[in-house]
Amino acid sequence: MAQSKYKIFLSVVESGSLTRAAEKCGVTQSAVSHALHALESAAGLPLLIRNRSGARLTPEGEKLLPAVRRIVEALDAFHTEVSALRGQEGGCIRIGAFTSVAVHWLPRIIKEYQARNPAVDFRMLGGDYHDIAQGFADGSIDVGFVTREMNIPGCETLPLTEDHLLAVLPKDHPLAGRQRITAAQLAGEPFISLMENSNQDARSVLEAAGVQVEVKYTAKDDYAIIAMVAAGLGVSIMPELLLEGHSGGIATMEIEGAQKRNIGLAVSAAGKGNPCVEDFARFVQQWVRNL
C-alpha cells in the first residue's frame, strides 16, 4: 500500500471516479478508499472531494498533484531498472492518446504488443489535444499520439498516417444527402466546437477556406458533440477516425479542399532513452502501416 496509494490516487484524479480507478488498477473500490485515506492521513490534509458525481481535487490536492506524479514516475523508473537488472524485457510505458486513437486504435495496439511482451505494463492518459500536450509538459507521459498542429517541444515525432476531416450534420439536414460540400456552406449554421485549446482541426479547415462560423456551443468531449449534432443542435467538423461506428442520427461528408489531420507518435526526451518505449514506438509505426 505504501507504493500503490500514490498510483491509486493518480488514477482517481485522472478518471474522476473511485469506481473507474478501481477497475483500472485491478483492485476493489474498498481498496481504493483505503489507499486514499492512507495518503490523506500521511499528508494530514484533505486531497479529494468525493460525492455521488465522482471525485475532484481540493486546493491542497491540486498543489500536491505534481509531487505525486513525480513519486509515481520514480516508482515506475525503479521497477523498470529492476526489470533490466534481472534481464527481463519489462517496464512501464506511459501513453497519451486523444479520443479517436484511444477508442479505435489503442486497445488493439496494446493487446497485440502485450501478446509478445507480457511483462510490459501500461499507464494511459486520455483526453483532448490540450490534455496530451500538458502530459508531455509535466512529464507524465513518455509517448503520445499527436497531430502536426500540436507542436510538442522537446519530442521526436514519428509520422503515422493522415486522417480526413469531415463535415458532421444532423441526419435530416438539407445538405445531408450530398457526398461533398464546401466550408462556406457551413457558415450560416449553428456550429458546435471543441474548447478553444483543442479545436485545431475545425479551425484549420475554416481558416484555410476563409470562412467564419457562429460557434453556438462548445464542449470538451468529442462524443458529446456527436450527440449534440444528432439532436439537431448544429453542425461540426471532426476527424474521420473519431466518427467510425457513429452513424446514428448524423450524416458525414467530405469538405472541398479540406486539409487532412496528420497523426504522429511523439516520444519524449526521457522516452527516447528507454528501450521499452523505443521498441513500442517502432511497433506502433508498423501496426499503423499494416492497417
Side-chain angles (χ1 to χ4, degrees):
M1 183 65 74
Q3 295 180 4
S4 64
K5 64 187 178 185
Y6 299 104
K7 291 190 175 184
I8 290 174
F9 172 77
L10 197 55
S11 183
V12 171
V13 172
E14 291 174 350
S15 64
S17 163
L18 271 67
T19 301
R20 288 195 292 272
E23 294 173 353
K24 182 177 178 180
C25 295
V27 298
T28 65
Q29 190 166 336
S30 175
V32 171
S33 296
H34 284 303
L36 296 178
H37 177 72
L39 186 57
E40 289 180 320
S41 296
L45 295 166
L47 304 179
L48 287 167
I49 298 172
R50 288 92 117 178
N51 51 43
R52 291 183 178 180
S53 63
R56 59 185 175 86
L57 288 167
T58 63
E60 295 85 356
E62 289 275 6
K63 291 181 179 179
L64 289 176
L65 181 60
V68 174
R69 289 193 189 278
R70 290 194 293 271
I71 291 172
V72 171
E73 290 163 15
L75 290 171
D76 289 340
F78 172 79
H79 290 301
T80 297
E81 289 296 329
V82 169
S83 295
L85 290 171
R86 289 176 175 173
Q88 298 174 357
E89 295 297 326
C92 179
I93 301 174
R94 302 171 302 163
I95 310 175
F98 41 79
T99 304
S100 54
V101 168
V103 172
H104 296 293
W105 283 2
L106 203 50
R108 289 183 289 159
I109 289 173
I110 291 175
K111 182 178 180 179
E112 293 179 28
Y113 187 78
Q114 282 199 313
R116 73 175 200 179
N117 297 280
V120 175
D121 295 324
F122 290 90
R123 289 187 57 243
M124 287 163 282
L125 169 69
D128 56 21
Y129 296 158
H130 174 73
D131 295 324
I132 306 308
Q134 185 60 43
F136 277 113
D138 63 25
S140 60
I141 57 178
D142 304 306
V143 59
F145 293 87
V146 298
T147 67
R148 181 176 57 191
E149 293 75 18
M150 290 171 66
N151 296 320
I152 306 296
C155 294
E156 178 186 3
T157 301
L158 310 172
L160 294 177
T161 191
E162 293 181 330
D163 189 19
H164 287 91
L165 298 174
L166 304 179
V168 189
L169 286 69
K171 200 80 169 180
D172 58 356
H173 192 280
L175 297 175
R178 304 191 181 190
Q179 290 188 337
R180 182 177 299 177
I181 63 172
T182 65
Q185 287 176 290
L186 301 176
E189 304 286 341
F191 199 84
I192 307 172
S193 172
L194 283 169
M195 305 294 285
E196 177 63 26
N197 52 20
S198 284
N199 71 347
Q200 295 99 316
D201 295 331
R203 187 168 62 236
S204 67
V205 173
L206 296 170
E207 288 181 353
V211 172
Q212 290 187 333
V213 295
E214 177 193 1
V215 177
K216 186 73 172 178
Y217 307 98
T218 57
K220 182 176 175 64
D221 183 84
D222 296 288
Y223 292 131
I225 292 178
I226 295 174
M228 293 169 74
V229 173
L233 295 175
V235 303
S236 192
I237 296 173
M238 308 187 84
E240 186 174 22
L241 179 61
L242 177 70
L243 295 163
E244 283 187 10
H246 288 271
S247 58
I250 63 170
T252 62
M253 59 208 67
E254 293 182 8
I255 304 171
E256 288 184 13
Q259 297 179 348
K260 297 176 183 178
R261 177 176 71 159
N262 290 276
I263 300 177
L265 188 73
V267 183
S268 70
K272 282 187 284 187
N274 185 325
C276 188
V277 172
E278 291 181 342
D279 181 67
F280 177 74
R282 289 190 293 270
F283 177 85
V284 171
Q285 282 188 296
Q286 186 61 50
W287 189 91
V288 174
R289 280 198 291 265
N290 292 336
L291 283 176

